[in-house]
């Protein structure tokens, strides 16, 4: 392997990497190598089982990254999971297929990324998707599933729909009735993937409805194409850093890797190196390659190739909590629900107008606090601009401000929930020049009080659901946290003890190599090329400039599809 040369090297055979590798290798005269640290999980039941969410956690296919002690959230550290396998995190995720509110993608353009808007991205959402019409699956009768054909793609690689494990006992309809009976109803939304997410929906999943197995990036983009002679995958191979051409400022000519037998070697790329190692790896690989903040790099004896201090900054994630209630009825354990509510600010907050005015007043102070907590590497004035865009999304465009997932199993109802668009921003940086050393990941969960307020208000909202008919009559007592732990009418402070002790990462880290104008602290330009390099791109969740209200994978697939077209156009 040691003297191999390829046109393109894709680092990371995950959700994004396999899209790019597949599309580039459609060109028969183009050779593509994918370097993937994990192995194949084609026959791993922890992956394929559509009811197996969580079974892969803590196994060899979970990177299980760890954060620093989270000082604003009670002091404990958090595990941030990510898939280490061909297919990446799509092999261990919750399979929810939910996009973004159109205005959120439009905001990517508002902040300075010309051409990145909902209208331009929608064709790529569709290009990646093979929607399975529920009408062809009689086992879905009673499940309450619905969709809008105009919003979906039917001939792409990723199978999306509902499998035979979907709950079909009428709960979907009862939950909808409950949402309609709330003081401020959350309207029924036939299809949350149309660009308008607000409302209650039965959402689709990345699933093979015929086989009832998980659909992941490898099943969609790799295995059906693995016989292409120009598409190569090195499994169990760890990428250590980019290597640079002699005499040229910043032109990559390959990647240093450690092979499965422990041998180190350099594999050459004649055209481009594309980092697709995920939001918690790609920025670290840039730093290991000399791209980043000279102060951080020099501490670890790494020579600066490109002075780009915002590599690894702007880290955003969401925080996930759960409430549980007794159920009067016993629900089947071999079925699962996919019920989501996306309330807007008016639907979640009883005092939305006043809250918005207060938040607007606080934004400059928030921006200053974020900048200072991150060592002023990102500038308060830039962060203020991001925050103002985010504020407008919440209070003018009325995007969802929370996500409420409800499920039923055995004699219990459980709800997972999170504020959709936290303002807190943290960072990730390397801890050592050793490429296998864990990075310093500090999301700064709950740094800003709006984030706690949204999280606490979502919990109150869930309590309201269980006080509203018909759900009120179907459920028993609240078991987590329970009224003796968090009293009815508790304020944010009282909720915070429960929230901080029980929250987890929502596993949606983004913006660690953000697509933003350079002068605003961007790491990649609108062609996803790293500023200052001639041929290095980042194509994965790292580049997304703002959080989306759906889950990440559908947008990750769409961005990677568009990236592949951009790369082809520019070659
Ligand atoms: P991804 O992680 O897919 O790919 C990176 C790849 O690079 C991996 O294969 C990794 O092994 C490899 N790699 C890393 N470092 C390397 C190195 N040095 N050398 C070689 N290879 C390296 N989203 C959603 O839409 N619906 C959902 O239900 C959920 N649920 C969910 C649950 C859990 C537990 C998690 C962790 C995440 C989710 N998500 C989700 C999020 C979503 O799955 C995720 O954001 C995307 O899959 C990320 O895609 P990327 O391409 O950015 O990275």
């Amino acid at each position: 392997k040691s003297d191999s040369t390829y046109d393109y090297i894709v680092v990371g055979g995950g959700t994004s990497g396999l899209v790019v590798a597949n599309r580039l290798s459609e060109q028969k005269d183009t050779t593509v190598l994918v370097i993937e640290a994990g192995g194949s999980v084609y026959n791993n039941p922890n992956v394929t089982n559509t009811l197996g969410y969580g079974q892969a956690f803590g196994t060899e296919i979970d990177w299980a990254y760890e954060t620093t002690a989270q000082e604003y959230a009670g002091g404990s550290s958090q595990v941030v999971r990510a898939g280490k396998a061909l297919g990446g995190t799509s092999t261990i995720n919750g399979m929810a297929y939910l996009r973004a509110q159109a205005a959120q993608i439009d905001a990517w353009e508002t902040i300075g990324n010309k051409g990145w808007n909902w209208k331009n991205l929608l064709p790529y959402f569709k290009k990646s998707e093979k929607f399975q019409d529920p009408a062809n699956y009689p086992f879905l009768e009673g499940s309450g599933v619905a969709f809008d054909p105009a919003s979906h793609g039917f001939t792409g690689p990723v199978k999306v729909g509902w499998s035979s494990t979907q709950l079909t006992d009428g709960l979907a309809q009862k939950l909808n009735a409950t949402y309609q009976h709330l003081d401020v109803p959350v309207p029924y939304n036939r299809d949350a993937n149309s660009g308008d997410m607000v409302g209650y929906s039965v959402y689709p999943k990345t699933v093979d409805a015929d086989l009832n197995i998980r659909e992941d990036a490898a099943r969609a983009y790799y295995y059906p194409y693995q016989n292409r002679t120009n598409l190569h995958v090195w499994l169990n191979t760890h990428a250590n850093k980019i290597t640079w051409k002699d005499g040229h400022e910043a032109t990559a000519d390959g990647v240093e890797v450690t092979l499965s037998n422990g041998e180190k070697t350099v594999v050459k790329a004649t055209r481009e190196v594309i980092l697709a190692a995920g939001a918690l790896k790609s920025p670290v690989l840039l730093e290991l390659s000399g791209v980043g903040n000279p102060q951080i790099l020099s501490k670890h004896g790494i020579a600066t190739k490109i002075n780009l201090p915002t590599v690894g900054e702007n880290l955003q994630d969401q925080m996930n909590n759960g409430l549980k209630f007794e159920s009067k009825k016993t629900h089947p354990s071999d079925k699962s629900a996919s019920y989501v509510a996306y309330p807007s600010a008016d639907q979640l907050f009883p005092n939305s107008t006043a809250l918005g005015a207060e938040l607007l007043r606080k934004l400059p102070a928030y921006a200053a606090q974020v900048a200072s907590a991150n060592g002023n590497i990102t500038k308060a004035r830039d962060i203020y601009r991001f925050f103002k865009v985010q504020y407008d999304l919440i209070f003018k465009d009325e995007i969802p401000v929370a996500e409420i997932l409800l499920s039923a199993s055995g004699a219990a109802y459980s709800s997972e929930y999170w504020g959709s668009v936290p303002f807190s921003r943290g960072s990730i940086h390397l801890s050592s020049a050793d490429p296998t050393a864990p990075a310093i990941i500090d999301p700064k969960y709950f740094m800003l009080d709006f984030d706690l307020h949204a999280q606490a208000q979502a919990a109150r909202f869930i309590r309201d659901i269980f006080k509203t008919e018909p759900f009120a009559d179907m459920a028993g007592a609240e078991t987590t946290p329970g009224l003796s732990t968090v009293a009815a009418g508790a304020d944010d402070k009282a909720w915070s003890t429960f929230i901080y002790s029980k929250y987890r990462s929502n596993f949606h880290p983004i913006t660690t190599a953000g697509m933003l104008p350079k002068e605003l602290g961007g790491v990649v330009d609108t062609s996803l090329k790293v500023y200052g390099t001639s041929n290095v791109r980042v194509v994965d969740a790292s580049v997304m400039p703002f959080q989306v209200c759906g889950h990440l994978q559908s947008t990750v697939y769409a961005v990677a599809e568009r990236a592949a077209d951009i790369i082809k156009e520019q070659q």
Side-chain angles (χ1 to χ4, degrees), residues 3-26:
D3 45 31
S4 315
T5 300
Y6 300 87
D7 292 323
Y8 294 94
I9 298 179
V10 178
V11 175
T15 318
S16 316
L18 292 180
V19 177
V20 174
N22 176 307
R23 294 304 182 189
L24 292 177
S25 64
E26 283 174 339

Side-chain angles (χ1 to χ4, degrees), residues 145-460:
V145 306
F147 75 111
D148 162 25
S151 300
H152 291 277
F154 295 85
T155 56
V158 184
K159 291 176 181 152
V160 175
W162 296 271
S163 76
S164 55
T165 49
Q166 184 71 21
L167 200 59
T168 52
D169 64 356
L171 192 63
Q173 294 80 350
K174 292 198 176 102
L175 185 55
N176 183 32
T178 306
Y179 279 118
Q180 305 323 314
H181 290 152
L182 290 173
D183 287 347
V184 182
V186 174
Y188 174 66
N189 186 352
R190 186 175 168 73
D191 193 332
N193 283 308
S194 65
D196 182 7
M197 308 198 81
V198 172
Y200 161 74
S201 293
V202 183
Y203 66 83
K205 297 180 174 180
T206 41
V207 73
D208 184 321
D210 296 306
L211 301 178
N212 184 32
I213 54 174
R214 169 196 295 272
E215 176 78 344
D216 60 46
R219 281 186 188 271
Y221 284 95
Y222 178 68
Y223 292 114
Y225 308 91
Q226 60 183 323
N227 291 334
R228 284 183 189 167
T229 54
N230 58 337
L231 173 59
H232 304 262
V233 173
W234 291 3
L235 295 178
N236 305 305
T237 303
H238 192 274
N240 300 332
K241 61 180 175 186
I242 296 166
T243 59
W244 304 100
K245 224 177 218 173
D246 283 342
H248 286 71
E249 239 330 272
T251 300
D253 68 357
V255 177
E256 182 198 285
V257 301
T258 303
L259 302 173
S260 54
N261 63 7
E263 188 193 316
K264 264 191 194 165
T265 186
V266 172
V267 51
K268 294 283 182 188
T270 53
R271 288 194 194 159
E272 295 195 9
V273 171
I274 296 151
L275 299 182
L280 300 180
K281 254 315 164 45
S282 290
V284 181
L285 282 164
L286 285 174
E287 291 184 329
L288 289 163
S289 314
V291 182
N293 181 344
Q295 277 180 355
I296 295 173
L297 302 187
S298 63
K299 248 195 276 175
H300 303 292
I302 296 171
T304 299
K305 185 79 186 170
I306 299 171
N307 181 345
L308 201 54
T310 47
V311 169
E313 298 298 325
N314 288 312
L315 169 60
Q316 304 174 49
D317 192 8
Q318 297 152 326
M319 297 77 75
N320 181 305
N321 279 106
L323 265 61
K324 280 202 176 101
F325 297 80
E326 290 167 350
S327 164
K328 291 181 185 161
K329 175 182 158 186
T330 303
H331 300 274
S333 56
D334 59 349
K335 300 271 177 192
S336 78
S338 59
Y339 308 147
V340 68
Y342 283 117
S344 64
D346 279 346
Q347 292 160 7
L348 186 75
F349 299 114
N351 53 345
S352 178
T353 308
L355 183 75
E358 188 194 335
L359 178 65
L360 192 57
R361 277 195 302 277
K362 282 186 180 170
L363 288 186
Y366 272 12
Q369 197 182 338
V370 166
S372 127
N374 290 307
N376 292 306
I377 297 162
T378 46
K379 304 282 169 270
R381 59 156 203 275
D382 298 336
I383 296 167
Y384 176 77
R385 284 184 65 171
F386 308 150
F387 283 1
K388 182 63 178 32
V389 170
Q390 192 165 320
Y391 164 86
D392 286 343
L393 285 169
I394 299 171
F395 290 99
K396 295 193 175 149
D397 297 307
E398 299 180 2
I399 64 167
V401 278
E403 173 161 340
I404 317 285
L405 297 173
L406 217 128
S407 61
S409 184
Y413 294 106
S414 333
S415 170
E416 284 189 18
Y417 72 90
W418 54 93
S420 312
V421 277
F423 282 80
S424 301
R425 271 137 174 87
S427 64
I428 171 169
H429 293 292
L430 82 183
S431 67
S432 153
D434 171 0
T436 59
I440 303 165
I441 303 172
D442 184 3
K444 300 205 189 300
Y445 292 123
F446 293 109
M447 178 166 50
L448 301 171
D449 57 3
F450 178 84
D451 299 352
L452 174 65
H453 184 57
Q455 198 79 353
Q457 189 55 33
R460 293 183 193 107

Side-chain angles (χ1 to χ4, degrees), residues 11-17 35-38 53 57 63 65 81-90 92-98 237-240 276-279 281 285 506-508 539-542 551-554 556:
V11 175
T15 318
S16 316
I35 297 167
E36 170 51 46
Y53 181 62
F57 295 177
W63 285 95
Y65 299 121
R81 305 198 181 277
K84 184 180 183 180
L86 193 65
T89 304
S90 71
I92 68 164
N93 71 14
M95 306 191 300
Y97 185 90
L98 286 158
T237 303
H238 192 274
N240 300 332
K281 254 315 164 45
L285 282 164
N506 201 38
F507 310 136
H508 289 169
V539 182
D540 61 25
S542 318
H551 297 225
L552 294 183
Q553 67 173 344
S554 52
V556 163

